[in-house]
Amino acid sequence: MAFMLNIQRFMRNHIGALVTATAGTAAVVGALVVLPPGSAAPMSTSASPPSTTAPAPPSSVAAPAGKHTGAKGGAKAKGAKTGGKAADPARVAWAHQYGVSRTTMAVLAPAGDASADQQAAATDLLNKTEAATAPYADLAAAKAAGYDLQADLANHAKNKGPKLANEMAKIDAGAPVTPATMPMLHVGNKTLQADGKVLDPSAPETLMYGYQGQGSWMLMGVMYKANEAFPSAPPDPGGPITRWHYHDKKGPGAGLMMHVFFVQGGDLAHAYAADMKS
């Protein structure tokens, strides 16, 4: 009996002191919040008891198990390859109707499939484009016209890693400059990408330069864009030669484009090739 009385006295003295010392403070035990007598209830905008369910993640789709969603290595949201915007279904249909996927198209333009009039039109476009852009072989003149190679070069190095720098270093060290080894840089003109013109030799949206070594770049051709033709059919004066293509890896319907390389001898198959390295 004496032992039990001692236990009760201990409980009254120590537990009572503990409650008094923690008055107004919530003690967290595991996942439950225990409030001392007289403490205010948790903030709530309704009479319903607070939910014990953890808040949902910002995305409405839960991240797959085993993948992290941080700044590094996170699961990419839909549309991430198109600058964070999901592809417009109407533009996807338009690109697929009037263009061909870069992953499936023949590298060389099928010049032999074109009529004599189409071959003449493709030759005319090639000659006019080369003549109109000849001043941009001078990088200062190109910059003044809105094609800033150095700015694009810095942006490329920042966003796409050291691959281009490594290729340039090999050329600087004496590696032969060939179509297969020449580093290429696409230099865009933001103003001309929104000027309402499509396939205008005097206003190509992008210039293409090949690195020659020791800081020297050669104007190799242009890349036309047809985005401003949407939703109409873009011009294709050379028929099967002047092909428009799109890149699936950049997002379906991200845009239609056409390469025109300044080749010697009027070789239309290579002038309108998908890749200079053909």
Side-chain angles (χ1 to χ4, degrees):
M1 178 65 74
F3 175 77
M4 292 301 296
L5 290 174
N6 290 335
I7 291 297
Q8 292 174 359
R9 186 178 299 112
F10 176 87
M11 293 292 288
R12 284 197 304 270
N13 293 340
H14 291 77
I15 298 302
L18 178 62
V19 171
T20 301
T22 57
T25 305
V28 180
V29 181
L32 300 178
V33 177
V34 181
L35 295 176
S39 298
M43 295 181 63
S44 174
T45 57
S46 69
S48 303
S51 172
T52 58
T53 304
S59 172
S60 59
V61 181
K67 291 188 177 181
H68 301 285
T69 54
K72 297 181 179 180
K76 293 183 178 179
K78 182 179 180 181
K81 292 185 178 181
T82 57
K85 297 180 181 179
D88 179 353
R91 284 190 173 272
V92 172
W94 170 76
H96 288 186
Q97 179 179 0
Y98 297 112
V100 59
S101 171
R102 175 64 182 84
T103 59
T104 60
M105 71 186 295
V107 176
L108 296 181
D113 295 341
S115 67
D117 287 344
Q118 290 172 332
Q119 292 181 19
T123 299
D124 183 60
L125 177 61
L126 171 62
N127 292 339
K128 287 181 177 178
T129 301
E130 187 169 9
T133 59
Y136 305 142
D138 180 349
L139 297 186
K143 182 178 180 179
Y147 303 97
D148 192 340
L149 183 144
Q150 293 302 325
D152 275 34
L153 182 61
N155 185 62
H156 184 98
K158 177 181 178 182
N159 295 328
K160 298 185 179 180
K163 181 179 179 180
L164 180 61
N166 290 339
E167 293 176 344
M168 292 170 62
K170 291 179 180 178
I171 300 297
D172 289 341
V177 181
T178 69
T181 63
M182 184 189 304
M184 289 284 295
L185 189 65
H186 289 60
V187 182
N189 187 315
K190 293 182 179 180
T191 299
L192 298 182
Q193 291 175 9
D195 63 355
K197 300 176 182 179
V198 179
L199 209 61
D200 184 342
S202 67
E205 289 80 8
T206 303
L207 300 179
M208 297 186 294
Y209 289 90
Y211 188 63
Q212 305 298 297
Q214 311 308 318
S216 176
W217 293 85
M218 177 184 291
L219 180 62
M220 307 299 297
V222 309
M223 184 176 75
Y224 287 110
K225 293 187 176 182
N227 298 350
E228 292 178 273
F230 175 83
S232 302
D236 60 341
I241 301 174
T242 51
R243 306 167 296 171
W244 294 101
H245 69 270
Y246 58 86
H247 289 268
D248 284 314
K249 66 181 181 179
K250 294 183 179 179
L256 287 175
M257 56 208 77
M258 179 194 302
H259 293 153
V260 180
F261 294 103
F262 301 152
V263 300
Q264 295 180 350
D267 181 351
L268 296 178
H270 284 84
Y272 291 92
D275 192 328
M276 183 189 69
K277 299 179 180 180
S278 58

